[in-house]
Every structure is written in structure tokens, then in C-alpha cells.
Amino acid sequence: MLITNATLITWDDPNRVLDQHALYISGELIADIGPMAELEARYPQAERLDAAGQYVMPGNICAHTHFYGAYARGLAIPGSAPKDFPEILQKLWWPLDKALTLEDVRTSAEVMVLDAIRHGTTTLVDHHASPNAIDGSLDVIAEVVESAGMRAVLCYEVTDRNGPDGAKAGIRENVRFLKKLAERDSLRLPHIAGLLGLHAGLTLSGETLDACRQAVAEDVGFHIHAAEHESDEYDSLAKSGLRVIDRLYQHKILGSMSVVAHAIHVDAREINLLAETGTWVTHQPRSNMNNGVGAAPVESLMRAGVPVCIGTDGFSHTMWEEWKTAYLLHKVWHRDPRRMNGNDVVAMGVYNNASMAGMFFPQARLGVLAPSAHADIILVEYHPHTPLTTDNLPWHILFGFNESMVTTTIVHGKVLMKDYRVLTMDEHAVTANARSRAPQVWERYYAQF
Ligand SMILES: [Zn+2]
């Protein structure tokens, strides 16, 4: 397929903005990029997709999300409003994840994957919990991702909060799923990858952390929340005498294949440990603001060499919204408009997200328009009223772009949405089905109070 009449934003390093260009996709990969006239002459027989002057760029990547949170939308928490993050877990997320059946896991994944396609997010790193429907839950999510044509990294969150059997079932589900992924057809480019999921230090004993480490090979990474709230640090100190990142280090959970979400209340030594081990940290400013948990020391983390990525934590997969929130949050948090430069937002949201997600799909480059890179591409209908250059692009995105401008989404070289029409999912059926199931999910949620 030849995408013609495009202005390419390559997100290569350094980035390039190329007017009147074309991009040729062969199979699941980008095969060629060049001036439009040259490529039209080179591939005269190719099927055409006329971008009509739109921006054509790599799809966005979400470094941390929760598909299972879909049914939280519009849900009223009973009683008085949670006063802090531990109460939000106890009153909202833990009763809600217990209310999910396997079929609810499927519909929430459908809703969230659909949301990602519509908003131009083409790779999702999910962290799943459904304590009453653990076995096979990752298969159900993988089926949704694959049939929609998307790309995702999946895991099940192991926790001790539902007793030793719950923890064992969580480990079993991760191990089973990782084994299945390892045995898949090696001739095919994988669309799904896996990690071992862990909830957070505060719901995990040392024995369970060790059992998780022993359950998988050295090269398998972990996906865990850490230092999202002070309580995670105090819990860790009480359990082990160690701060939470030190404790995860001691249990060999950190490393260049592991992903730590949040890292808000980390101290200088913990930042160094994250840097030394090459652990990925994900930043979710909308969630952090919503939970009132503070702002991660993102600039310090990056200056120390920690690769910080951007995720949504289950908010809509509108990555530019998340970028904007990061850009604004750190300014108000520090009361200094010089904080969180637009280029730092791009360093996280584009380059670090692509490097992190790329580790799980190493067969080709991810998050870049370049020959032989994965063909995960979006078309954006944006008409700037000032010049757009490689230098000022971050600020055009922060102040001008929004996800409703994404008209077309392509993943693995396959068109999933064309001119706002989703082709691989029945949008109305997915939404109607989820809505019809919501009252039963909410009933099971309220029954726990
Ligand atoms: Zn999260």
C-alpha cells in the first residue's frame, strides 16, 4: 500500500518533517519512504491511500494502562468520598476488579482497544486484574487485541490481597500465558508480548515476590506500581526496613525488561537504583492528579538516566492529552513555567515509549517512520495557522493537536480505522454490549459494601 500526498513526521532521531512525501507499506513493515513523485514511479501498481495533505506519523504508544477499568466510568462510589489513594483502592478499584467475570474482561478490553484505535494509539502496555476470573483472562484480552489488529504487552497483576490461592492463581496465569507466547509461530511477527504483572509492594509479601522471580526466566521483566503514594513506602519500610525500590531491587524485580509505574515518592537512592538497573518508569499525570498523589520527580529521574515513559493508567488512550497534562502539571506543581520543557515531553512520550515498547517487539523498529520499521501509522488532519517545523513541533502538538484529528489508524500495515470508520470492530455493537453489561457489573460491585 502506498500512502501518497502526505507530510511525514518521522519521529526518527533527529526528527524530520517531510512535505509532499509518500510511504510504501509491504506486509506488516514500512518498505520505502521518499518524495511522492519518486515513489509513485517506483510502485505504479500499489494500492493507494491518499492522505490528502494530512500529517502521517507513527502511532502513539501507551506505556501503562488498565483495560479492566472501563466499567469505572460513571460509577458512583458509595458513602463518603475517598480521602486518599489507599481509600480509592479500597472503595473503587478492589471491589470493581472483583466484580468482573471473564465476559466483562472481554468487553472492557474491547471498549479500551476501540478507544485506542479511534485516538491513534497503536501499542498498549496493559496491567490486568480480575480476581474472580483469573484463569484464561490474558487469553481473552489477547483475543480482543488480535482480532482488532492491535499491538499490546499484557500481564496479570499478582497480589496477596485475595489470599495465597489468589496470588498463586495470578502467578500461574502469567506463567501459562508467557509460555504460550514463547511457543507461538516464530515465522509470524508477534502482535502480543508479555510481562509478569505485580500489583504493588504494599500488597505483596517477600515470599510472593520471590515466587514471582523464580516462576520466570531471568530475561522476563515485571510490570509493577511503585511509590504511587507514601503508603507504599511506609508499608515497605514496615515490612522489610527497606524503601520500596530498594525492596524490589533486593527481590530482583528491577531491570532493563521491567516497568515501574509512577515512582512518585522515591528518594535519591531509589532514583539511582532505577537508573543503575535500567528499569523503565512510566508517568501518568492525569491519574496522579485525579488521585491527589503528587507529581513524580520526572526531570530528576531523567537527569539521573532513568528512561521515563508516558502511560494513561486506564484513562482514555488519548496520549496527546496525557502529554499536555504532563506539560502543565509540572509547571503548576513547581510554580515555575520553565519546568517540563516540550522537548522533555517528546523525549518521554515519543522516544522512551518507542524504546520501551520496542523491547517487546524487537523484530523491527517501533514508533518511527523508516524503511523496515513496523507499519504502525496514523493520519492526522491538522491545519496549522503558523509554520510547523521540526523545532516547534512539540508545541504544535501540545497546543494544537488533539486525538479527534486522527482520521486513520494503521497497525501491522493493516488499516484499522479509515476516515474515522473503524473497520476491525463493530463500534456500535461493542459500546452497546458493554453498556448492557454495566448494570450487572455495578450490582456485583455494590454488593461488596
Ligand atoms: Zn496503574
Side-chain angles (χ1 to χ4, degrees), residues 38 55-56 64 81 167 182 206 219 227 234 240 299 338 398 435 448:
E38 272 178 35
Y55 288 94
V56 173
H64 175 77
D219 62 347
Y234 289 117
S240 64
E299 292 156 310
R338 294 168 294 191
L398 290 165
R435 198 167 51 239
Q448 296 171 64

Side-chain angles (χ1 to χ4, degrees), residues 10-12 23-33 58 151 189 361-377 411-413:
T10 66
W11 285 140
D12 216 329
L23 180 151
Y24 181 60
I25 298 171
S26 174
E28 300 196 3
L29 302 176
I30 296 170
D32 205 352
I33 283 176
R151 183 187 301 285
L189 288 178
F361 302 99
Q363 298 78 8
R365 293 175 72 194
L366 194 64
V368 65
L369 300 187
S372 69
H374 287 291
D376 294 8
I377 296 165
V411 185
H412 320 298

Side-chain angles (χ1 to χ4, degrees), residues 64-66 127 225 228 261-262 284 287 313-314:
H64 175 77
T65 186
H66 301 281
H127 194 273
H225 299 98
E228 184 170 1
H262 301 299
Q284 291 72 223
S287 161
D313 216 7

